[in-house]
Amino acid sequence: MRLRYVAQINPSCPAFDGLHDEAELTFLPMENVWPGDRLDLGQRRTKSSVATGYTRFQNGDVLVPKITPTFEASRSVWVADGLVNGTGAGTTELHVLRPGAEIDPRFLLCITHSHPFLKLGEAEMYGVAGQKRVPDEFIRNFAVEVPPLEDQRRIADFLDAEVAQIARIELVQRAALSKIDERDRAFLDFELDRLFARFGAIPFRRVIRRIEQGSSPQCDSTPAEDGEWGVLKISSVKRGTFFPKENKRLPESVIPVRRYAVRDGDLLITRANTPELVGDVAVVDQSPRMLLLPDLIYRVELWGGLLPEFSSIVLRGSRVRGLIQATARGTSQSMVKLRGEDIREWPIPNVDLAEQRKVIKRVAVQQAVTSSLRFRIGRQLELLAERKQALITAAVTGRIDVTTMRGIRE
């Protein structure tokens, strides 16, 4: 049976229409759309502020992200209840599925997390790379086997229990990742506190030769290939590591400003981001020669007495991060900015090159250990996600008997 016969796809929203203009409702941006307990319904807006340009939904709806890579990440959610005044509005990158009388909403949600739905939906996406979307018609015409409601509920009950068990394991693994991050921060702060106490501090401006930001022309959404120019994205600078593949291809019609080309050894600092991520830092290492600095990333050129790798370590410490949180400016808490003047006032331990190299080596040894742990935990989380999707797929397609769990049906 096609989904359109058991659920309304992107229907009207009577709960929204019935509110007066100044009534509050739940607001749901894409960053808050996560399955299970990670779904965040805490934001509110007035009806008048979201009357146009947003997707509307109500209690009981299943929400399916339509854009890549969120769709492929299986982030569909069932909003059983909890919406302010029973309704909400959110990003336009959502499809709304309203289950009818013949389908249990939990069973419908499981369908959206199944392997056939995700893989066939990915194949049907339209648009350019990085901005592809699942069309409305795919969801309407997606064919599913719909067992009797009693069997649907039995399957949903089984999957609720199994997925909850997997979620508990995932929670433990994510907590371990958090502890690893705390360990890294504690080690970093211990090293830096020792240096500040022994050698004192100088303002960063005393070792800065120049601070510059690049330019961000209109680019393609795909990364640059070999031999093509690309402009870095903010995500290329993250937690002390440089990610050169995080870039957008510069169109052939745009002449690259070559003085903005990044070079090995460049110290990069993000100029704008969320309050938690603004001021992130990394040193360019083995970069392709055809990447350009954007306007949202600073390049800080240093005099010879300070190594960029040592600067990266200092700027990730709690002392400087606290100053960043205090001085970053912006009208929106989702995006704040740093000024060059702010950066120049950050404190740096007044140590010679020999001591800098010792600290760089100690931090590298520590991070090699924790990076290995992160990789192992990340792999375990990937396997848990694969296990969850395989279980859901087998249950909703009838390949396992959830009543007896005696095995796969031939």
Side-chain angles (χ1 to χ4, degrees), residues 103-297:
I103 192 166
D104 185 280
R106 295 179 299 156
F107 186 79
L108 177 60
L109 177 65
C110 289
I111 290 173
T112 68
H113 287 296
S114 67
H115 186 269
F117 183 85
L118 295 171
K119 288 303 176 184
L120 291 174
E122 182 180 353
E124 292 292 325
M125 282 182 164
Y126 65 93
V128 297
Q131 294 292 319
K132 289 187 176 181
R133 293 173 174 85
V134 175
D136 177 280
E137 291 77 11
F138 163 75
I139 296 180
R140 293 181 183 277
N141 294 321
F142 184 74
V144 295
E145 183 177 337
V146 183
L149 273 173
E150 182 180 351
D151 290 344
Q152 293 179 40
R153 292 173 182 136
R154 186 179 297 114
I155 292 170
D157 289 342
F158 164 78
L159 289 175
D160 281 348
E162 293 294 322
V163 170
Q165 185 176 6
I166 293 174
R168 286 192 291 270
I169 300 173
E170 289 176 332
L171 185 63
V172 172
Q173 299 286 22
R174 295 186 190 282
L177 284 176
S178 179
K179 292 297 183 183
I180 291 172
D181 290 341
E182 291 178 10
R183 177 178 173 177
D184 272 350
R185 285 194 298 270
F187 182 86
L188 212 62
D189 288 341
F190 175 80
E191 287 286 333
L192 295 176
D193 288 345
R194 180 183 62 82
L195 294 178
F196 280 117
R198 181 179 175 187
F199 299 100
I202 58 173
F204 202 16
R205 65 173 180 271
R206 289 180 50 184
V207 291
I208 292 177
R209 181 181 179 186
R210 182 173 63 168
I211 298 178
E212 67 173 339
Q213 63 194 72
S215 174
S216 294
Q218 187 67 39
C219 291
D220 299 333
S221 58
T222 55
E225 301 288 345
D226 290 343
E228 297 177 329
W229 284 95
V231 177
L232 292 176
K233 299 193 293 186
I234 297 178
S235 52
S236 64
V237 177
K238 189 181 303 179
R239 294 180 57 175
T241 303
F242 178 64
F243 297 91
K245 293 183 179 180
E246 291 293 311
N247 70 80
K248 295 182 178 181
R249 182 171 56 200
L250 190 72
E252 293 182 0
S253 58
V254 179
I255 299 175
V257 182
R258 294 176 180 264
R259 70 184 181 90
Y260 292 145
V262 295
R263 305 174 294 271
D264 287 350
D266 280 350
L267 177 65
L268 304 182
I269 301 174
T270 57
R271 184 174 74 89
N273 211 323
T274 62
E276 295 78 19
L277 298 177
V278 69
D280 217 339
V281 60
V283 177
V284 177
D285 179 28
Q286 297 181 347
S287 169
R289 299 301 177 186
M290 300 177 70
L291 292 179
L292 300 171
L293 192 70
D295 65 349
L296 294 182
I297 297 179

Side-chain angles (χ1 to χ4, degrees), residues 77-95:
V77 297
W78 172 41
V79 187
D81 53 31
L83 298 178
V84 178
N85 286 315
T87 188
T91 170
T92 57
E93 304 294 355
L94 291 172
H95 286 303

Side-chain angles (χ1 to χ4, degrees), residues 379-393:
R379 181 56 183 153
Q380 290 172 5
L381 288 170
E382 290 175 0
L383 292 173
L384 287 170
E386 292 174 8
R387 164 67 176 169
K388 179 167 59 178
Q389 188 181 89
L391 200 59
I392 291 172
T393 300

